[in-house]
Coordinates of all heavy atoms in Angstrom, one line a residue:
M1 N 0.8 -1.2 0.0 CA 0.0 0.0 0.0 C 0.9 1.3 0.0 O 0.5 2.3 -0.5 CB -0.9 0.0 1.2 CG -1.9 1.1 1.3 SD -3.0 1.1 -0.1 CE -4.1 2.3 0.5
E2 N 2.0 1.2 0.6 CA 2.9 2.4 0.7 C 3.2 2.9 -0.7 O 3.2 4.1 -1.0 CB 4.2 2.0 1.4 CG 5.0 3.3 1.7 CD 6.2 2.9 2.6 OE1 5.9 2.3 3.6 OE2 7.3 3.4 2.3
N3 N 3.6 2.0 -1.6 CA 3.9 2.5 -3.0 C 2.6 2.9 -3.7 O 2.7 3.9 -4.5 CB 4.5 1.3 -3.8 CG 5.8 0.9 -3.3 OD1 6.6 1.8 -2.8 ND2 6.3 -0.3 -3.6
G4 N 1.5 2.3 -3.4 CA 0.2 2.8 -4.0 C 0.0 4.2 -3.5 O -0.6 5.0 -4.3
E5 N 0.2 4.5 -2.2 CA 0.0 5.9 -1.7 C 0.9 6.9 -2.5 O 0.4 8.0 -2.8 CB 0.2 5.9 -0.2 CG -0.9 5.2 0.6 CD -0.6 5.2 2.0 OE1 0.3 5.9 2.5 OE2 -1.4 4.5 2.8
E6 N 2.1 6.6 -2.7 CA 3.0 7.5 -3.4 C 2.5 7.7 -4.8 O 2.6 8.8 -5.3 CB 4.5 6.9 -3.4 CG 5.1 6.9 -2.0 CD 5.2 8.3 -1.4 OE1 5.4 9.3 -2.1 OE2 5.0 8.4 -0.2
F7 N 2.0 6.6 -5.4 CA 1.5 6.7 -6.8 C 0.3 7.6 -6.8 O 0.2 8.5 -7.7 CB 1.2 5.4 -7.4 CG 0.6 5.5 -8.7 CD1 1.4 5.8 -9.9 CD2 -0.8 5.4 -8.9 CE1 0.8 5.9 -11.1 CE2 -1.4 5.5 -10.1 CZ -0.6 5.7 -11.3
L8 N -0.6 7.4 -5.9 CA -1.8 8.3 -5.9 C -1.5 9.7 -5.6 O -2.1 10.7 -6.1 CB -2.8 7.8 -4.8 CG -3.6 6.6 -5.3 CD1 -4.4 6.0 -4.1 CD2 -4.4 6.9 -6.5
R9 N -0.5 10.0 -4.8 CA 0.0 11.4 -4.6 C 0.5 12.0 -5.8 O 0.1 13.1 -6.2 CB 1.0 11.5 -3.5 CG 0.6 11.3 -2.1 CD 1.6 11.6 -1.0 NE 1.2 11.2 0.2 CZ 1.4 10.0 0.8 NH1 2.2 9.1 0.2 NH2 0.9 9.7 2.0
L10 N 1.3 11.2 -6.6 CA 1.8 11.6 -7.8 C 0.7 11.9 -8.8 O 0.6 12.9 -9.5 CB 2.8 10.6 -8.4 CG 3.3 10.9 -9.9 CD1 4.1 12.2 -9.9 CD2 4.2 9.7 -10.3
L11 N -0.3 11.0 -8.8 CA -1.5 11.1 -9.7 C -2.2 12.5 -9.4 O -2.5 13.2 -10.4 CB -2.4 10.0 -9.5 CG -3.8 10.2 -10.2 CD1 -3.6 10.0 -11.7 CD2 -4.8 9.2 -9.6
L12 N -2.4 12.7 -8.2 CA -3.1 14.0 -7.8 C -2.4 15.2 -8.2 O -2.9 16.1 -8.8 CB -3.4 14.0 -6.3 CG -4.5 13.0 -5.8 CD1 -4.5 13.1 -4.3 CD2 -5.7 13.3 -6.4
V13 N -1.0 15.2 -8.1 CA -0.2 16.3 -8.5 C -0.2 16.5 -10.0 O -0.5 17.6 -10.5 CB 1.3 16.2 -8.0 CG1 2.2 17.2 -8.7 CG2 1.3 16.3 -6.5
L14 N -0.1 15.4 -10.7 CA -0.1 15.5 -12.2 C -1.5 15.9 -12.7 O -1.6 16.7 -13.6 CB 0.2 14.1 -12.9 CG 1.7 13.8 -12.8 CD1 1.9 12.4 -13.2 CD2 2.5 14.8 -13.7
V15 N -2.6 15.3 -12.2 CA -3.9 15.6 -12.7 C -4.3 17.0 -12.4 O -5.0 17.7 -13.1 CB -4.9 14.6 -12.2 CG1 -6.3 14.9 -12.5 CG2 -4.6 13.2 -12.9
M16 N -4.0 17.5 -11.2 CA -4.5 18.8 -10.8 C -3.6 19.9 -11.0 O -3.7 21.0 -10.5 CB -4.8 18.7 -9.3 CG -5.9 17.6 -9.0 SD -6.2 17.4 -7.2 CE -7.2 18.8 -6.9
S17 N -2.5 19.7 -11.9 CA -1.6 20.8 -12.2 C -1.4 20.8 -13.7 O -1.7 19.9 -14.4 CB -0.3 20.6 -11.4 OG 0.4 19.6 -12.0
R18 N -0.8 21.9 -14.1 CA -0.4 22.1 -15.5 C 0.8 21.2 -15.8 O 1.2 21.1 -17.0 CB -0.1 23.5 -15.9 CG -1.4 24.4 -15.7 CD -1.0 25.8 -15.9 NE -2.2 26.6 -15.7 CZ -2.8 27.4 -16.5 NH1 -2.2 27.6 -17.6 NH2 -3.8 28.1 -16.1
E19 N 1.4 20.7 -14.8 CA 2.7 19.8 -15.1 C 2.3 18.6 -15.9 O 3.2 18.1 -16.6 CB 3.3 19.4 -13.8 CG 3.9 20.7 -13.0 CD 4.3 20.4 -11.6 OE1 4.2 19.1 -11.2 OE2 4.6 21.3 -10.8
A20 N 1.1 18.2 -15.9 CA 0.7 17.0 -16.7 C 0.9 17.2 -18.1 O 1.4 16.4 -18.9 CB -0.7 16.6 -16.4
A21 N 0.5 18.4 -18.6 CA 0.7 18.8 -20.0 C 2.1 18.9 -20.4 O 2.5 18.6 -21.5 CB 0.0 20.1 -20.3
E22 N 3.0 19.2 -19.4 CA 4.4 19.3 -19.7 C 5.2 18.0 -19.6 O 6.4 17.9 -19.9 CB 5.0 20.3 -18.7 CG 4.4 21.7 -19.0 CD 4.8 22.7 -17.9 OE1 5.7 22.3 -17.0 OE2 4.3 23.8 -17.8
A23 N 4.5 17.0 -19.1 CA 5.1 15.7 -18.9 C 4.2 14.6 -19.4 O 3.7 13.7 -18.7 CB 5.4 15.4 -17.4
P24 N 4.0 14.6 -20.8 CA 3.1 13.6 -21.4 C 3.5 12.1 -21.1 O 2.7 11.2 -21.0 CB 3.1 13.9 -22.8 CG 4.4 14.8 -23.1 CD 4.7 15.4 -21.8
E25 N 4.8 11.9 -21.0 CA 5.2 10.4 -20.8 C 4.8 10.0 -19.4 O 4.4 8.9 -19.2 CB 6.8 10.3 -20.9 CG 7.3 10.7 -22.3 CD 7.6 12.1 -22.5 OE1 7.6 12.9 -21.5 OE2 7.8 12.6 -23.6
A26 N 5.0 10.9 -18.4 CA 4.5 10.5 -17.1 C 3.0 10.4 -17.0 O 2.5 9.4 -16.4 CB 4.9 11.7 -16.1
L27 N 2.3 11.2 -17.7 CA 0.8 11.1 -17.8 C 0.4 9.8 -18.4 O -0.5 9.1 -17.9 CB 0.2 12.3 -18.4 CG -1.3 12.4 -18.4 CD1 -1.8 12.4 -17.0 CD2 -1.8 13.6 -19.1
Q28 N 1.1 9.4 -19.5 CA 0.8 8.1 -20.1 C 1.0 7.0 -19.2 O 0.3 6.0 -19.2 CB 1.6 7.9 -21.4 CG 1.1 8.9 -22.5 CD -0.3 8.6 -22.9 OE1 -0.8 7.5 -22.9 NE2 -1.0 9.7 -23.2
T29 N 2.1 7.1 -18.3 CA 2.4 6.0 -17.3 C 1.2 5.9 -16.3 O 0.8 4.8 -16.0 CB 3.7 6.2 -16.7 OG1 4.7 6.2 -17.7 CG2 4.0 5.2 -15.6
V30 N 0.8 7.1 -15.9 CA -0.3 7.2 -15.0 C -1.5 6.5 -15.5 O -2.2 5.7 -14.9 CB -0.5 8.6 -14.5 CG1 -1.9 8.7 -13.7 CG2 0.6 9.2 -13.6
I31 N -1.9 6.9 -16.7 CA -3.0 6.4 -17.4 C -2.9 4.8 -17.5 O -3.9 4.1 -17.2 CB -3.3 7.0 -18.8 CG1 -3.7 8.4 -18.6 CG2 -4.3 6.2 -19.6 CD1 -3.6 9.3 -19.9
A32 N -1.8 4.3 -17.9 CA -1.6 2.9 -18.1 C -1.8 2.1 -16.7 O -2.4 1.1 -16.7 CB -0.2 2.6 -18.7
V33 N -1.2 2.7 -15.7 CA -1.3 2.1 -14.4 C -2.8 2.1 -13.9 O -3.3 1.1 -13.3 CB -0.3 2.7 -13.3 CG1 -0.6 2.2 -11.9 CG2 1.1 2.4 -13.8
R34 N -3.4 3.3 -14.1 CA -4.8 3.4 -13.7 C -5.7 2.4 -14.5 O -6.6 1.8 -14.0 CB -5.3 4.8 -14.0 CG -4.6 5.9 -13.2 CD -5.1 6.0 -11.8 NE -6.5 6.4 -11.7 CZ -7.3 6.4 -10.6 NH1 -6.8 5.9 -9.6 NH2 -8.4 6.8 -10.7
D35 N -5.4 2.2 -15.8 CA -6.1 1.2 -16.6 C -5.9 -0.2 -16.0 O -6.9 -0.9 -15.9 CB -5.7 1.2 -18.0 CG -6.2 2.5 -18.8 OD1 -7.1 3.2 -18.3 OD2 -5.6 2.7 -19.9
E36 N -4.8 -0.5 -15.5 CA -4.5 -1.8 -14.9 C -5.3 -1.9 -13.6 O -5.9 -3.0 -13.3 CB -3.0 -2.0 -14.6 CG -2.1 -2.3 -15.7 CD -0.6 -2.4 -15.4 OE1 -0.4 -2.9 -14.3 OE2 0.1 -2.1 -16.2
G37 N -5.3 -0.8 -12.9 CA -6.1 -0.9 -11.6 C -7.5 -1.0 -11.9 O -8.3 -1.8 -11.2
R38 N -8.1 -0.4 -12.9 CA -9.5 -0.5 -13.2 C -9.9 -1.9 -13.7 O -10.8 -2.4 -13.4 CB -9.9 0.6 -14.3 CG -11.3 0.8 -14.4 CD -11.7 2.0 -15.3 NE -10.6 2.7 -15.9 CZ -9.9 3.7 -15.4 NH1 -10.3 4.2 -14.2 NH2 -9.0 4.4 -16.1
A39 N -8.9 -2.5 -14.5 CA -9.1 -3.8 -14.9 C -9.1 -4.8 -13.7 O -9.9 -5.8 -13.7 CB -8.0 -4.2 -15.9
Y40 N -8.2 -4.6 -12.8 CA -8.2 -5.4 -11.6 C -9.5 -5.3 -10.7 O -10.1 -6.2 -10.3 CB -7.0 -5.2 -10.7 CG -6.9 -6.0 -9.5 CD1 -6.5 -7.4 -9.6 CD2 -7.2 -5.6 -8.3 CE1 -6.5 -8.2 -8.6 CE2 -7.1 -6.4 -7.1 CZ -6.8 -7.7 -7.3 OH -6.7 -8.6 -6.2
M41 N -10.0 -4.0 -10.6 CA -11.2 -3.7 -9.9 C -12.3 -4.5 -10.6 O -13.2 -5.1 -10.0 CB -11.5 -2.3 -9.9 CG -12.8 -1.8 -9.2 SD -12.7 -1.8 -7.4 CE -11.4 -0.5 -7.1
A42 N -12.4 -4.4 -12.0 CA -13.4 -5.1 -12.7 C -13.3 -6.6 -12.5 O -14.4 -7.3 -12.4 CB -13.2 -4.7 -14.2
H43 N -12.1 -7.2 -12.4 CA -11.9 -8.6 -12.3 C -12.6 -9.0 -10.9 O -13.2 -10.0 -10.8 CB -10.4 -8.9 -12.4 CG -10.2 -10.3 -11.9 ND1 -10.5 -11.4 -12.6 CD2 -9.6 -10.7 -10.8 CE1 -10.1 -12.5 -12.0 NE2 -9.5 -12.1 -10.8
M44 N -12.2 -8.2 -9.9 CA -12.7 -8.5 -8.5 C -14.3 -8.4 -8.5 O -14.9 -9.3 -7.9 CB -12.1 -7.6 -7.5 CG -10.6 -7.8 -7.4 SD -10.0 -9.4 -7.0 CE -10.6 -9.6 -5.4
I45 N -14.8 -7.4 -9.1 CA -16.3 -7.3 -9.1 C -16.9 -8.4 -9.9 O -17.9 -9.1 -9.5 CB -16.7 -5.9 -9.7 CG1 -16.2 -4.8 -8.8 CG2 -18.2 -5.9 -9.9 CD1 -16.3 -3.4 -9.4
R46 N -16.3 -8.7 -11.1 CA -16.8 -9.8 -11.9 C -16.9 -11.1 -11.1 O -17.8 -11.9 -11.2 CB -15.9 -9.9 -13.1 CG -16.5 -10.9 -14.3 CD -15.6 -10.8 -15.5 NE -15.5 -9.5 -16.1 CZ -14.5 -8.7 -16.1 NH1 -13.3 -9.0 -15.5 NH2 -14.6 -7.5 -16.7
S47 N -15.8 -11.4 -10.4 CA -15.7 -12.7 -9.6 C -16.8 -12.7 -8.6 O -17.3 -13.7 -8.3 CB -14.4 -13.0 -9.0 OG -13.4 -12.1 -9.1
S48 N -17.2 -11.5 -8.0 CA -18.3 -11.5 -7.0 C -19.6 -11.8 -7.6 O -20.5 -12.2 -6.9 CB -18.2 -10.1 -6.3 OG -17.0 -9.9 -5.7
F49 N -19.8 -11.6 -8.9 CA -21.1 -11.8 -9.5 C -21.2 -13.0 -10.5 O -22.0 -13.1 -11.3 CB -21.5 -10.5 -10.2 CG -21.9 -9.3 -9.3 CD1 -20.9 -8.5 -8.9 CD2 -23.2 -9.3 -8.8 CE1 -21.3 -7.5 -8.0 CE2 -23.5 -8.3 -7.9 CZ -22.5 -7.4 -7.5
Q50 N -20.2 -13.9 -10.4 CA -20.1 -15.0 -11.3 C -21.4 -15.9 -11.3 O -21.8 -16.4 -12.3 CB -18.9 -15.9 -11.0 CG -17.6 -15.4 -11.7 CD -17.7 -15.3 -13.2 OE1 -18.2 -16.1 -13.9 NE2 -17.1 -14.2 -13.6
S51 N -22.0 -16.0 -10.1 CA -23.2 -16.8 -9.9 C -24.4 -16.3 -10.8 O -25.3 -17.0 -11.1 CB -23.6 -16.9 -8.5 OG -24.0 -15.7 -8.0
A52 N -24.3 -15.0 -11.2 CA -25.4 -14.4 -12.0 C -25.2 -14.7 -13.5 O -26.0 -14.3 -14.3 CB -25.4 -12.9 -11.8
G53 N -24.0 -15.4 -13.8 CA -23.8 -15.7 -15.3 C -22.7 -14.7 -15.7 O -22.6 -13.6 -15.3
E54 N -21.9 -15.2 -16.7 CA -20.7 -14.5 -17.2 C -21.2 -13.1 -17.8 O -20.6 -12.1 -17.6 CB -20.0 -15.4 -18.3 CG -18.7 -14.8 -18.6 CD -17.9 -15.7 -19.5 OE1 -18.0 -16.9 -19.3 OE2 -17.2 -15.1 -20.4
E55 N -22.2 -13.1 -18.6 CA -22.6 -11.9 -19.3 C -23.1 -10.8 -18.3 O -22.6 -9.6 -18.4 CB -23.7 -12.2 -20.3 CG -24.1 -11.0 -21.1 CD -25.2 -11.3 -22.2 OE1 -25.3 -12.4 -22.6 OE2 -25.8 -10.3 -22.5
T56 N -23.8 -11.2 -17.3 CA -24.3 -10.3 -16.3 C -23.1 -9.8 -15.4 O -23.0 -8.6 -15.1 CB -25.4 -11.0 -15.4 OG1 -26.5 -11.3 -16.2 CG2 -25.8 -10.1 -14.3
A57 N -22.3 -10.8 -15.1 CA -21.1 -10.4 -14.2 C -20.2 -9.4 -15.0 O -19.7 -8.4 -14.4 CB -20.3 -11.6 -13.9
D58 N -20.0 -9.6 -16.3 CA -19.3 -8.6 -17.1 C -19.9 -7.2 -17.2 O -19.2 -6.2 -17.0 CB -19.1 -9.1 -18.6 CG -18.1 -10.3 -18.7 OD1 -17.3 -10.6 -17.7 OD2 -18.2 -10.9 -19.8
K59 N -21.2 -7.2 -17.3 CA -21.9 -5.9 -17.4 C -21.8 -5.2 -16.0 O -21.6 -4.0 -16.0 CB -23.4 -6.2 -17.7 CG -23.6 -6.4 -19.2 CD -25.1 -6.6 -19.5 CE -25.3 -7.0 -20.9 NZ -26.7 -7.2 -21.2
I60 N -21.9 -5.9 -14.9 CA -22.0 -5.3 -13.6 C -20.5 -4.8 -13.4 O -20.3 -3.7 -12.9 CB -22.3 -6.3 -12.5 CG1 -23.9 -6.6 -12.7 CG2 -22.0 -5.8 -11.2 CD1 -24.3 -7.8 -11.8
A61 N -19.5 -5.6 -13.7 CA -18.1 -5.2 -13.5 C -17.8 -3.9 -14.3 O -17.1 -3.0 -13.8 CB -17.2 -6.3 -13.9
E62 N -18.2 -3.9 -15.6 CA -17.9 -2.7 -16.4 C -18.6 -1.5 -15.9 O -18.1 -0.4 -15.9 CB -18.3 -3.0 -17.8 CG -17.5 -4.0 -18.6 CD -16.0 -3.6 -18.6 OE1 -15.6 -2.5 -18.9 OE2 -15.1 -4.5 -18.3
A63 N -19.8 -1.7 -15.3 CA -20.5 -0.5 -14.8 C -20.0 0.0 -13.4 O -19.9 1.2 -13.1 CB -22.0 -0.9 -14.6
L64 N -19.5 -0.9 -12.6 CA -19.1 -0.6 -11.2 C -17.5 -0.3 -11.1 O -17.2 0.3 -10.1 CB -19.5 -1.7 -10.3 CG -21.0 -1.8 -10.0 CD1 -21.2 -2.8 -9.0 CD2 -21.6 -0.5 -9.6
A65 N -16.7 -0.8 -12.0 CA -15.3 -0.6 -11.8 C -14.9 0.9 -11.8 O -14.1 1.3 -10.9 CB -14.5 -1.3 -12.9
P66 N -15.4 1.8 -12.6 CA -15.1 3.2 -12.5 C -15.6 3.8 -11.2 O -14.9 4.6 -10.6 CB -15.8 3.9 -13.7 CG -16.0 2.8 -14.6 CD -16.2 1.5 -13.9
F67 N -16.7 3.4 -10.7 CA -17.3 3.9 -9.4 C -16.3 3.3 -8.3 O -16.0 4.1 -7.4 CB -18.7 3.3 -9.1 CG -19.2 3.5 -7.8 CD1 -19.6 4.8 -7.4 CD2 -19.3 2.6 -6.9 CE1 -20.1 5.1 -6.2 CE2 -19.7 2.8 -5.6 CZ -20.1 4.0 -5.3
G68 N -15.9 2.1 -8.4 CA -14.9 1.6 -7.4 C -13.6 2.3 -7.3 O -13.1 2.6 -6.3
M69 N -13.1 2.7 -8.5 CA -11.9 3.4 -8.6 C -12.1 4.8 -8.0 O -11.2 5.3 -7.2 CB -11.4 3.6 -10.0 CG -10.9 2.3 -10.6 SD -9.4 1.7 -9.9 CE -8.2 2.9 -10.5
A70 N -13.2 5.4 -8.3 CA -13.5 6.8 -7.7 C -13.6 6.7 -6.2 O -13.2 7.5 -5.5 CB -14.8 7.4 -8.3
G71 N -14.2 5.6 -5.7 CA -14.4 5.4 -4.3 C -13.1 5.3 -3.6 O -12.7 5.8 -2.6
Y72 N -12.1 4.5 -4.2 CA -10.8 4.3 -3.7 C -10.0 5.7 -3.7 O -9.4 6.0 -2.7 CB -10.0 3.3 -4.6 CG -8.7 3.0 -4.0 CD1 -8.5 2.0 -3.0 CD2 -7.5 3.7 -4.5 CE1 -7.3 1.8 -2.4 CE2 -6.3 3.4 -3.9 CZ -6.2 2.5 -3.0 OH -4.9 2.2 -2.4
D73 N -10.1 6.4 -4.8 CA -9.5 7.7 -4.9 C -9.9 8.7 -3.7 O -9.2 9.3 -3.1 CB -9.7 8.3 -6.2 CG -9.0 7.6 -7.4 OD1 -8.1 6.8 -7.1 OD2 -9.4 7.9 -8.5
G74 N -11.3 8.6 -3.6 CA -11.9 9.4 -2.6 C -11.5 9.1 -1.2 O -11.2 9.9 -0.3
A75 N -11.4 7.8 -0.9 CA -11.0 7.2 0.4 C -9.5 7.7 0.6 O -9.2 8.0 1.8 CB -11.1 5.7 0.5
F76 N -8.7 7.6 -0.4 CA -7.3 8.0 -0.2 C -7.2 9.6 0.1 O -6.5 9.9 1.0 CB -6.5 7.7 -1.5 CG -5.1 8.2 -1.4 CD1 -4.2 7.6 -0.7 CD2 -4.7 9.4 -2.1 CE1 -2.9 8.0 -0.7 CE2 -3.4 9.8 -2.0 CZ -2.5 9.2 -1.3
V77 N -8.0 10.3 -0.6 CA -7.9 11.8 -0.3 C -8.4 12.0 1.1 O -7.9 12.8 1.8 CB -8.8 12.6 -1.4 CG1 -9.0 14.0 -0.9 CG2 -8.1 12.5 -2.7
A78 N -9.5 11.3 1.5 CA -10.0 11.5 2.9 C -8.9 11.1 3.9 O -8.7 11.8 4.9 CB -11.2 10.7 3.1
L79 N -8.2 10.1 3.6 CA -7.1 9.6 4.6 C -6.0 10.7 4.7 O -5.6 11.1 5.7 CB -6.5 8.3 4.1 CG -5.4 7.9 4.9 CD1 -5.7 7.5 6.3 CD2 -4.7 6.7 4.2
Q80 N -5.7 11.3 3.5 CA -4.6 12.3 3.5 C -5.1 13.6 4.2 O -4.3 14.2 4.8 CB -4.2 12.6 2.1 CG -3.7 11.4 1.3 CD -2.5 10.7 2.0 OE1 -1.5 11.4 2.3 NE2 -2.6 9.5 2.3
S81 N -6.3 14.0 4.0 CA -6.8 15.2 4.5 C -7.3 15.2 6.0 O -7.2 16.1 6.7 CB -7.9 15.8 3.6 OG -9.0 15.0 3.6
E82 N -7.8 14.1 6.3 CA -8.4 13.9 7.7 C -7.7 13.0 8.6 O -7.7 13.1 9.8 CB -9.9 13.3 7.5 CG -10.8 14.2 6.8 CD -12.1 13.5 6.4 OE1 -12.4 12.4 7.0 OE2 -12.9 14.0 5.6
G83 N -6.9 12.1 8.0 CA -6.2 11.2 8.8 C -7.1 10.2 9.6 O -8.4 10.3 9.4
G84 N -6.6 9.3 10.2 CA -7.4 8.4 11.0 C -7.9 7.1 10.3 O -7.2 6.2 10.3
R85 N -9.1 7.3 9.7 CA -9.7 6.0 9.2 C -8.9 5.5 8.0 O -8.7 6.2 7.0 CB -11.1 6.4 8.7 CG -12.0 5.2 8.3 CD -13.4 5.5 8.2 NE -14.2 4.3 7.9 CZ -15.4 4.2 7.5 NH1 -16.0 5.4 7.1 NH2 -16.0 3.1 7.3
P86 N -8.5 4.3 8.0 CA -7.6 3.8 7.0 C -8.5 3.5 5.7 O -9.7 3.3 5.7 CB -7.2 2.4 7.5 CG -8.1 2.0 8.6 CD -8.6 3.3 9.1
V87 N -7.8 3.4 4.6 CA -8.5 3.2 3.3 C -9.2 1.9 3.3 O -10.3 1.8 2.8 CB -7.4 3.3 2.1 CG1 -8.0 2.8 0.8 CG2 -6.9 4.7 2.0
S88 N -8.6 0.9 4.0 CA -9.2 -0.5 4.0 C -10.6 -0.4 4.6 O -11.5 -1.1 4.2 CB -8.4 -1.4 4.7 OG -8.1 -1.0 6.1
A89 N -10.8 0.4 5.6 CA -12.1 0.7 6.2 C -13.1 1.2 5.2 O -14.3 0.8 5.2 CB -12.1 1.5 7.5
W90 N -12.7 2.2 4.4 CA -13.6 2.8 3.4 C -13.9 1.7 2.4 O -15.0 1.7 1.9 CB -12.9 4.0 2.8 CG -12.8 5.2 3.6 CD1 -11.7 5.7 4.1 CD2 -13.8 6.1 4.1 NE1 -11.9 6.8 4.9 CE2 -13.3 7.1 4.8 CE3 -15.2 6.1 3.9 CZ2 -14.0 8.1 5.4 CZ3 -15.9 7.1 4.5 CH2 -15.3 8.1 5.3
M91 N -12.9 0.9 2.0 CA -13.1 -0.1 1.0 C -14.1 -1.2 1.5 O -14.9 -1.7 0.7 CB -11.8 -0.7 0.5 CG -10.9 0.2 -0.3 SD -11.6 0.9 -1.8 CE -12.2 2.4 -1.2
D92 N -14.0 -1.5 2.7 CA -15.0 -2.5 3.3 C -16.4 -1.9 3.1 O -17.3 -2.6 2.8 CB -14.7 -2.8 4.7 CG -13.5 -3.6 4.9 OD1 -13.0 -4.2 3.9 OD2 -12.9 -3.7 6.1
Q93 N -16.6 -0.6 3.5 CA -17.9 0.0 3.3 C -18.3 0.1 1.8 O -19.5 -0.2 1.5 CB -17.9 1.4 4.0 CG -19.2 2.0 4.0 CD -19.2 3.3 4.8 OE1 -18.2 3.8 5.3 NE2 -20.4 3.9 4.9
L94 N -17.4 0.4 1.0 CA -17.7 0.5 -0.4 C -18.2 -0.9 -1.0 O -19.1 -0.9 -1.7 CB -16.5 1.0 -1.2 CG -16.6 1.2 -2.7 CD1 -17.7 2.2 -3.0 CD2 -15.3 1.6 -3.3
A95 N -17.5 -1.9 -0.5 CA -17.8 -3.3 -1.0 C -19.2 -3.6 -0.5 O -19.9 -4.3 -1.3 CB -16.8 -4.3 -0.4
D96 N -19.7 -3.2 0.6 CA -20.9 -3.5 1.1 C -22.0 -2.8 0.2 O -23.0 -3.4 -0.2 CB -21.2 -3.0 2.5 CG -20.5 -3.9 3.6 OD1 -20.1 -5.0 3.2 OD2 -20.3 -3.4 4.7

């Protein structure tokens, strides 16, 4: 998680500043890693809905993966700004 936190800090700096436009290679790396994360999130969601059938599980995963990523991002920002509640606690609630 420690490396993930550093990556998310970098992501926030790149996305929220003009430096992203000046560092297209870095931004492409961020995009590629985020795509991997979203694919992993979709995989985890898909596995949770396998009993509904492959097609349904795929549709649910595709619909919820971006929401899951946004939830993770928001939990990270909350941890950085408020301290205290760990990201894993937010993720447990998001999973529910």
Side-chain angles (χ1 to χ4, degrees):
M1 182 65 170
E2 187 173 315
N3 291 334
E5 289 180 8
E6 292 300 321
F7 177 77
L8 283 173
R9 281 188 194 96
L10 173 62
L11 170 73
L12 289 173
V13 168
L14 283 173
V15 170
M16 298 176 78
S17 72
R18 294 177 187 235
E19 293 167 8
E22 297 168 9
E25 299 86 13
L27 187 58
Q28 287 301 323
T29 299
V30 168
I31 290 168
V33 172
R34 298 282 294 168
D35 286 347
E36 286 178 31
R38 197 171 3 273
Y40 182 72
M41 179 81 63
H43 168 74
M44 297 303 291
I45 294 168
R46 190 176 297 108
S47 357
S48 297
F49 288 93
Q50 281 299 320
S51 64
E54 190 173 327
E55 185 177 334
T56 299
D58 285 345
K59 286 180 183 179
I60 293 170
E62 291 302 315
L64 292 182
F67 173 76
M69 291 291 289
Y72 184 84
D73 293 345
F76 176 76
V77 170
L79 175 67
Q80 299 304 303
S81 62
E82 299 169 12
R85 191 170 188 197
V87 172
S88 60
W90 290 110
M91 292 299 95
D92 289 344
Q93 187 175 359
L94 181 63
D96 287 344

